[in-house]
């Protein structure tokens, strides 16, 4: 079984969980209080996990899941609205790269 992401926010729970079972890697977004919105830390954790999965021959498929009642409400607006225009642009580029990683992943993503 793979380790759980070490990225954390204010709670003690990881913001991204990973569980591997029988060739299926399940990545679980764990920010239910924010509707599992994409914070900078969550985007970074997703990118790192997807890069690991791409290189892991034992994984045949990826399932994206979420804790709580909402899957993902989009960008974390508290973070998106804060910061300079340059910081916002960088944040958008990093998130776009993570999403492109999903598209380019050599394994199906559900």
């Amino acid at each position: 079984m793979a380790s759980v992401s070490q990225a954390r926010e204010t709670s003690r729970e990881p913001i991204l969980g990973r569980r591997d079972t029988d060739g299926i890697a399940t990545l679980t977004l764990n920010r239910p209080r924010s509707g599992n919105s994409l914070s900078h830390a969550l985007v970074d954790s997703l990118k790192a996990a997807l890069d690991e999965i791409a290189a892991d021959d034992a994984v045949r498929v990826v399932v994206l899941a979420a804790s709580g009642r909402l899957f993902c409400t989009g960008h974390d607006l508290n973070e998106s609205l804060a910061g300079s225009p340059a910081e916002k642009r960088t944040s958008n580029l990093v998130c776009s790269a993570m999403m492109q990683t999903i598209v380019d992943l050599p394994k199906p993503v559900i």
Side-chain angles (χ1 to χ4, degrees):
M1 182 191 284
S3 65
V4 172
S5 171
Q6 296 302 308
R8 299 176 190 280
E9 291 183 339
T10 56
S11 74
R12 295 198 173 266
E13 295 295 316
I15 60 172
L16 180 69
R18 177 176 172 182
R19 186 183 68 228
D20 291 3
T21 307
D22 299 325
I24 302 167
T26 302
L27 298 178
T28 303
L29 310 180
N30 191 29
R31 297 187 70 225
R33 288 188 215 174
S34 73
N36 292 306
S37 61
L38 295 172
S39 65
H40 301 313
L42 182 53
V43 169
D44 292 343
S45 295
L46 278 165
K47 176 74 166 100
L50 293 164
D51 288 344
E52 288 175 7
I53 288 169
D56 188 342
D57 292 336
V59 175
R60 296 185 322 269
V61 67
V62 179
V63 175
L64 297 178
S67 59
R69 62 184 192 89
L70 299 172
F71 175 68
C72 180
T73 57
H75 288 279
D76 184 325
L77 293 180
N78 291 321
E79 286 186 356
S80 294
L81 297 175
S84 70
E87 290 170 329
K88 291 176 188 178
R89 181 181 170 98
T90 299
S91 175
N92 286 337
L93 291 172
V94 169
C95 189
S96 293
M98 181 275 296
M99 291 182 188
Q100 191 61 48
T101 300
I102 294 171
V103 172
D104 294 340
L105 201 70
K107 300 156 197 239
V109 179
I110 300 169

